Amino acid sequence: EPEVTQTPSHQVTQMGQEVILRCVPISNHLYFYWYRQILGQKVEFLVSFYNNEISEKSEIFDDQFSVERPDGSNFTLKIRSTKLEDSAMYFCASSVSGIHNSPLHFGNGTRLTVT
Amino acid sequence: AQKITQTQPGMFVQEKEAVTLDCTYDTSDPSYGLFWYKQPSSGEMIFLIYQGSYDQQNATEGRYSLNFQKARKSANLVISASQLGDSAMYFCAMREPQGKLIFGTGTRLQVFP
């Protein structure tokens, strides 16, 4: 069964450094998302992406964050200058369509630790 | 604005028994989808079951069923014949047309022998 793939599974970085989290969505999916989950807390929406542009973003997704689909398969989340509070599990998700009956399929997540 | 509420932070159930995890929602849009996801301790998010706002029948997927009461805006997950492997965090989520998925705060289910 097709799945969303995220790399790396765990990344440790120093405060102020840039990180890029990578995702390969399911191949026939057109809508892409990033979510984060601070340990033990709620799953929070960051950004949605469709047709090579951001369709919606949350207040968390400030100027330090950016997303890109550099080729036909990868979808990346960049954090320019990491802060301690960016430590979280980051999930990539994709769906075949944007309508309400289409489930999001999630990757296994990247655990980001900022020291 | 859409909202999902899960009022049970934790639930316990004995193996082979059924358990109901509660979820209520709020939205002004007539078209929406309701989803349940399972998050085991390993961290991945696993899609379990979907219910559409216009669906007349409750969704079922194996041992999972969704008790959908539209007038009460509730979408409770029922797990029948619980297994030890069902121990996990369970999230209720909602999606509006062309919208993101928003999650409730989750319920941690523990199945004991």
Side-chain angles (χ1 to χ4, degrees):
Chain A
E1 185 175 326
E3 58 181 25
V4 176
T5 307
Q6 287 186 247
T7 54
S9 56
H10 192 184
Q11 176 139 12
V12 181
T13 189
Q14 287 192 324
M15 194 167 54
Q17 295 297 304
E18 174 183 287
V19 294
I20 298 176
L21 309 184
R22 301 181 191 279
C23 170
V24 179
I26 295 173
S27 61
N28 64 333
H29 286 190
L30 301 176
Y31 293 77
F32 313 115
Y33 307 83
W34 283 100
Y35 285 78
R36 80 171 186 191
Q37 184 182 32
I38 294 170
L39 186 62
Q41 297 185 25
K42 197 172 176 178
V43 181
E44 300 175 295
F45 168 76
L46 292 179
V47 66
S48 57
F49 192 87
Y50 169 70
N51 201 27
N52 284 319
E53 60 182 30
I54 290 173
S55 44
E56 188 176 355
K57 60 183 180 179
S58 71
E59 60 275 8
I60 302 168
F61 195 88
D62 61 21
D63 292 344
Q64 293 300 312
F65 291 87
S66 62
V67 289
E68 194 177 35
R69 187 156 163 81
D71 54 41
S73 59
N74 291 284
F75 180 52
T76 62
L77 174 70
K78 182 193 291 186
I79 310 175
R80 287 190 185 80
S81 178
T82 50
K83 304 187 280 282
L84 293 175
E85 54 265 37
D86 293 329
S87 294
M89 180 76 100
Y90 288 80
F91 289 102
C92 173
S94 67
S95 66
V96 67
S97 82
I99 62 174
H100 63 277
N101 66 352
S102 180
L104 272 62
H105 295 269
F106 285 80
N108 287 348
T110 293
R111 185 169 297 285
L112 177 65
T113 303
V114 182
T115 62
Chain B
Q2 52 180 326
K3 186 180 177 184
I4 291 280
T5 302
Q6 294 181 256
T7 57
Q8 305 156 314
M11 290 284 285
F12 288 89
V13 66
Q14 190 166 32
E15 205 176 3
K16 298 179 187 173
E17 297 294 309
V19 64
T20 298
L21 307 184
D22 294 342
C23 173
T24 58
Y25 62 92
D26 192 22
T27 179
S28 56
D29 201 301
S31 300
Y32 52 88
L34 297 159
F35 302 83
W36 279 90
Y37 286 83
K38 173 183 179 181
Q39 187 178 39
S41 57
S42 48
E44 68 268 32
M45 295 287 286
I46 303 166
F47 165 63
L48 294 177
I49 193 168
Y50 158 81
Q51 180 83 44
S53 58
Y54 297 116
D55 293 344
Q56 296 295 311
Q57 291 194 316
N58 288 339
T60 60
E61 284 288 346
R63 294 186 298 110
Y64 304 109
S65 60
L66 205 153
N67 184 0
F68 181 47
Q69 298 187 47
K70 193 169 182 177
R72 299 178 65 179
K73 293 190 174 179
S74 74
N76 299 339
L77 177 70
V78 181
I79 305 175
S80 62
S82 297
Q83 301 171 356
L84 295 177
D86 293 334
S87 294
M89 196 75 163
Y90 288 81
F91 290 96
C92 181
M94 178 169 65
R95 190 174 192 194
E96 292 179 345
Q98 303 302 326
K100 60 187 178 290
L101 195 65
I102 64 156
F103 287 84
T105 51
T107 296
R108 183 167 300 281
L109 176 67
Q110 290 186 271
V111 182
F112 60 93

